[in-house]
């Protein structure tokens, strides 16, 4: 469809765009379109980078096995899931 445009039709479309938006707004619109394209390109690269397999991360085992097993259950209607609990060790003061 776009390949069938004649030069006169292209000039007419450009004239209508100039009348609708004005000559002052067109450079700003082109600049923001360019920024949007750069952001989209960088986000696409970041998503591709995230999909690449990475080396497995080493995690240290917790010293207290009971501390790792304890979790807080979400309340009914709460959208958050369960998460591990880290309790503070009691300290003795004299």
């Amino acid at each position: 469809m776009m390949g069938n445009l004649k030069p006169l039709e292209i000039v007419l479309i450009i004239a209508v765009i100039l009348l609708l938006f004005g000559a002052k707004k067109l450079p700003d619109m082109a600049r923001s379109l360019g920024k949007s394209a750069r952001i989209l390109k960088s986000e696409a690269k970041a998503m591709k980078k995230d999909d690449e397999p990475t080396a497995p991360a080493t995690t240290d085992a917790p010293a207290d096995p009971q501390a790792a097993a304890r979790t807080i259950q979400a309340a009914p209607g709460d959208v958050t899931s369960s998460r591990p609990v880290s309790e503070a060790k009691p300290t003795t003061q004299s």
Side-chain angles (χ1 to χ4, degrees), residues 10-81:
I10 294 173
V11 170
L12 183 63
I13 291 171
I14 291 173
V16 169
I17 290 173
L18 279 172
L19 287 174
L20 287 176
F21 296 108
K24 291 184 179 182
K25 289 187 179 180
L26 286 178
D28 292 334
M29 290 173 56
R31 192 174 303 117
S32 62
L33 182 65
K35 286 180 183 179
S36 299
R38 281 192 297 271
I39 291 170
L40 180 66
K41 185 178 178 181
S42 67
E43 290 296 325
K45 281 184 181 179
M47 287 177 65
K48 285 181 182 178
K49 187 176 180 181
D50 287 344
D51 289 342
E52 293 176 359
T54 59
T58 58
T59 58
D60 295 330
D64 186 14
Q66 285 185 337
R70 295 196 48 169
T71 58
I72 295 176
Q73 297 297 323
D78 192 6
V79 294
T80 59
S81 61

